Amino acid sequence: GAVVSQHPSWVICKSGTSVKIECRSLDFQATTMFWYRQFPKQSLMLMATSNEGSKATYEQGVEKDKFLINHASLTLSTLTVTSAHPEDSSFYICSARSGLAGRTDTQYFGPGTRLTVL
Amino acid sequence: GENVEQHPSTLSVQEGDSAVIKCTYSDSASNYFPWYKQELGKGPQLIIDIRSNVGEKKDQRIAVTLNKTAKHFSLHITETQPEDSAVYFCAASSNQGGKLIFGQGTELSVKP
């Protein structure tokens, strides 16, 4: 149980284009999802917290107009990288917080999406 | 804000030996402490977690201990196997917002 999927697993795009990444909780409902970014050999950096039906909360230094987050249902959140540039190339990982009794603080992570901007 | 320090950054052990990774946290309000294993090119996988009302938790070869007074917690892996080789992250969170603050990671290498 508690499986989170991401699509696509990897994407290559040209500079200036937009890329959408989907995050789904497959076997549980997630009122809260999180988006992280990870550079090689570094830790996970939280970008934003996404609550179903409301606007995402972005961490300091993360441009909300560049990284658009939509959490339209209890099982789906999307991250759109707008006007991507090479410096946006990274590993993007989502997580979903379980709503199960006694596990409401547990975050389950997706497999990640490798974005390369040429 | 909350800060989590993790040591060591790299750890190499022989197969069958034990491995210990330590983390300290700064926010006394933190009450949830998960450990994640991340293999190359994959997302983090939850391997064990502990809450502040418990001092120790064990799951087969993996155990976690928590010292709330000293604000540190540790991951113990016994009888290590080559497939345990990965990067391990500790994290801490409190009830406020539920955001996980991650440590810097430990690259564990188990040599056969």
Side-chain angles (χ1 to χ4, degrees), chain A residues 34 97 104-107, chain B residues 1-2 4 25-34 50-52 91-101:
Chain A
F34 301 85
R97 193 161 66 191
T104 56
D105 46 10
T106 304
Q107 287 187 33
Chain B
E2 171 72 286
V4 177
Y25 61 97
S26 60
D27 187 354
S28 57
S30 294
N31 57 5
Y32 175 63
F33 308 91
I50 192 168
R51 290 174 174 79
S52 58
S93 75
S94 67
N95 287 331
Q96 297 186 8
K99 292 192 298 186
L100 285 177
I101 307 300

Side-chain angles (χ1 to χ4, degrees), chain A residues 16-81:
Chain A
T17 61
S18 294
V19 174
K20 179 185 283 188
I21 302 170
E22 292 186 348
C23 176
R24 295 181 185 273
S25 55
L26 299 184
D27 51 2
F28 66 99
Q29 293 185 331
T31 55
T32 304
M33 290 184 172
F34 301 85
W35 287 95
Y36 295 82
R37 185 173 179 176
Q38 186 179 35
F39 292 106
K41 294 196 176 293
Q42 292 189 22
S43 189
L44 287 79
M45 183 190 80
L46 179 65
M47 299 175 66
T49 302
S50 166
N51 289 296
E52 185 265 339
S54 63
K55 290 184 179 180
T57 302
Y58 291 81
E59 294 299 299
Q60 190 173 7
V62 177
E63 299 176 60
K64 62 180 181 180
D65 294 330
K66 181 168 184 61
F67 298 100
L68 301 179
I69 292 172
N70 183 274
H71 194 158
S73 76
L74 288 173
T75 59
L76 173 64
S77 177
T78 60
L79 167 68
T80 301
V81 182

Side-chain angles (χ1 to χ4, degrees), chain B residues 18 47-50 54-66 74-79:
Chain B
S18 295
I47 56 172
I48 196 168
D49 56 10
I50 192 168
V54 176
E56 184 174 357
K57 184 176 178 181
K58 189 174 182 180
D59 183 4
Q60 299 183 338
R61 297 186 297 109
I62 295 173
V64 57
T65 59
L66 171 65
S74 301
L75 177 72
H76 304 251
I77 306 174
T78 59
E79 301 173 30

